[in-house]
Amino acid sequence: MMKSILFFLGMLLTTGLYAQKFGYCNSGQLLTQIPEVKAADSDLSAFQTQLTKRGQEMVKALQDKAADLKRKEETGTISPKDLETQSAKLAEEEAAIAKYEQEVYEKLAQKREQLFSPILDRVNQAMADVAKENQFMFVFDSSSQVLLYSDESLDVTKLVKAKLGITN
């Protein structure tokens, strides 16, 4: 019986020594309060507008050429051979537009990575620093909807904001 009590007390003491400290941070809320994120969003939006405008111009030019070709066909002012040649050119332009659309998606992804990567690296470093300074074993992201319940006393968002120099 005495051995059981000693074993139980040993387990309690050991568990107490290895108690793990947890915290959570709302990264979604945090990112909305970082001025650099707003600037990056604005830059990305302007870049997207620029790329989209060029694509719209390409589509408009194709539509105009297609309408002109259809008009020529209806009025009989184009030979069947020329109609076939110009139709093939329009198909090539349509393929070029589809290729440009893919390039736009790739360029936007690259630009997003270029703009947001340094910001996210800084936020992740601040989270890691706060976790180490406050001896947290784990810090969860409450904006990921994986965290089902958390006590507000475990929220480290304010500490991370302070580490990043965000005052509001």
Side-chain angles (χ1 to χ4, degrees), residues 84-135:
E84 186 178 322
T85 303
Q86 290 186 20
S87 292
K89 286 181 182 178
L90 288 179
E92 288 174 10
E93 285 187 41
E94 191 173 355
I97 290 172
K99 182 179 177 191
Y100 178 75
E101 184 179 15
Q102 278 298 331
E103 290 173 5
V104 166
Y105 288 125
E106 291 170 10
K107 287 178 181 180
L108 283 173
Q110 289 171 352
K111 187 72 165 179
R112 181 177 289 112
E113 175 73 19
Q114 174 192 356
L115 292 171
F116 286 97
S117 186
I119 298 167
L120 295 176
D121 288 346
R122 205 174 111 232
V123 169
N124 287 335
Q125 185 59 53
M127 283 187 189
D129 291 346
V130 165
K132 287 175 187 172
E133 291 167 6
N134 294 280
Q135 299 172 343

